[in-house]
Amino acid sequence: MPERYLIEHCAPTLAAIKTGNLFSISVYSREEAYQEAREINRVLRRRGLRAIPVKRRGNRALIYLYRPAFLKRDLLDPEAAEILRKRGYCPGNTQSCLTQLLQHLANDEDFPHEIGLFLGYPPADVRGFIQSPSRGVQCVGYWKVYENRNRAEETFQRYRQCSLCYRREYERGVTLEQLAVQS
């Protein structure tokens, strides 16, 4: 299991301050990607986390680590639901939305911009990015910010601090399961 990748790329999700993260791993087959996700789930499921492979290209697999309860909450936000509805999703059903996202990732040439909603990005910023990726950007951090720059910068700082703390603790010998906050 790619524990160091999880710590490096998913600390805010492990700490229960973010809905989800994406990270990529080296794999030789589709089955190997699923095996890695199963191993992550074996360790982290009790902490309220899930991992699923969302895309594979060549010898790389993109894994989505997320908190289902947080995702459900985020997708029920009225602005998020409206964005999803306009893009053909059924926002009242989290599993259906996740299935549709996976289909977009598998079949569409472009990366689906609404993925930000599945990562915990503010709906206003996801909407801003969908409307114009380059116009109206107030700042860039973990995502492009179109509204509420101060709040976003505070969030970016929390994510950076969390990642630093998690790396330090992991290097001291704290296990991945111990680092994952129960939700």
Side-chain angles (χ1 to χ4, degrees):
M1 176 178 44
E3 288 189 3
R4 182 164 298 282
Y5 277 19
L6 287 168
I7 301 300
E8 285 295 320
H9 300 285
C10 303
T13 298
L14 293 168
I17 61 174
K18 189 172 186 295
T19 298
N21 283 95
L22 292 167
F23 66 99
S24 104
I25 58 172
S26 292
V27 294
Y28 295 104
S29 67
R30 181 175 171 224
E31 180 52 39
E32 188 179 357
Y34 281 97
Q35 180 56 39
E36 290 288 351
R38 281 192 293 273
E39 179 62 19
I40 293 167
N41 286 326
R42 184 188 64 73
V43 173
L44 298 178
R45 183 175 289 272
R46 291 183 299 269
R47 302 287 193 195
L49 290 144
R50 300 291 179 279
I52 56 172
V54 295
K55 190 171 183 77
R56 186 174 157 264
R57 182 174 290 169
N59 67 344
R60 303 295 301 171
L62 190 60
I63 308 289
Y64 175 47
L65 180 72
Y66 71 106
R67 292 185 174 271
F70 289 22
L71 181 60
K72 182 177 182 176
R73 174 203 65 203
D74 291 355
L75 298 185
L76 287 174
D77 174 272
E79 190 173 0
E82 182 60 26
I83 292 167
L84 291 171
R85 207 173 287 106
K86 285 180 178 177
R87 298 184 81 75
Y89 290 77
C90 300
N93 183 327
T94 305
Q95 189 57 48
S96 171
C97 286
L98 195 49
T99 299
Q100 287 176 267
L101 177 68
L102 294 176
Q103 289 171 346
H104 285 293
L105 285 164
N107 301 322
D108 299 354
E109 277 191 37
D110 295 326
F111 214 70
H113 298 321
E114 67 273 11
I115 199 167
L117 298 171
F118 293 79
L119 300 172
Y121 301 167
D125 293 334
V126 173
R127 180 181 25 79
F129 187 81
I130 289 170
Q131 290 173 348
S132 175
S134 58
R135 257 187 323 183
V137 177
Q138 295 179 5
C139 72
V140 178
Y142 286 80
W143 66 87
K144 286 186 176 182
V145 177
Y146 296 82
E147 292 185 18
N148 207 336
R149 176 185 184 146
N150 291 338
R151 187 166 135 209
E153 287 177 339
E154 289 170 5
T155 300
F156 298 160
Q157 182 59 28
R158 281 185 34 217
Y159 290 175
R160 283 190 295 273
Q161 286 298 115
C162 175
S163 295
L164 179 65
C165 177
Y166 268 55
R167 276 193 301 274
R168 209 174 312 144
E169 291 301 305
Y170 184 71
E171 288 170 8
R172 286 186 44 228
V174 179
T175 68
L176 178 65
E177 187 173 8
Q178 291 170 321
L179 287 169
V181 172
Q182 177 75 43
S183 68

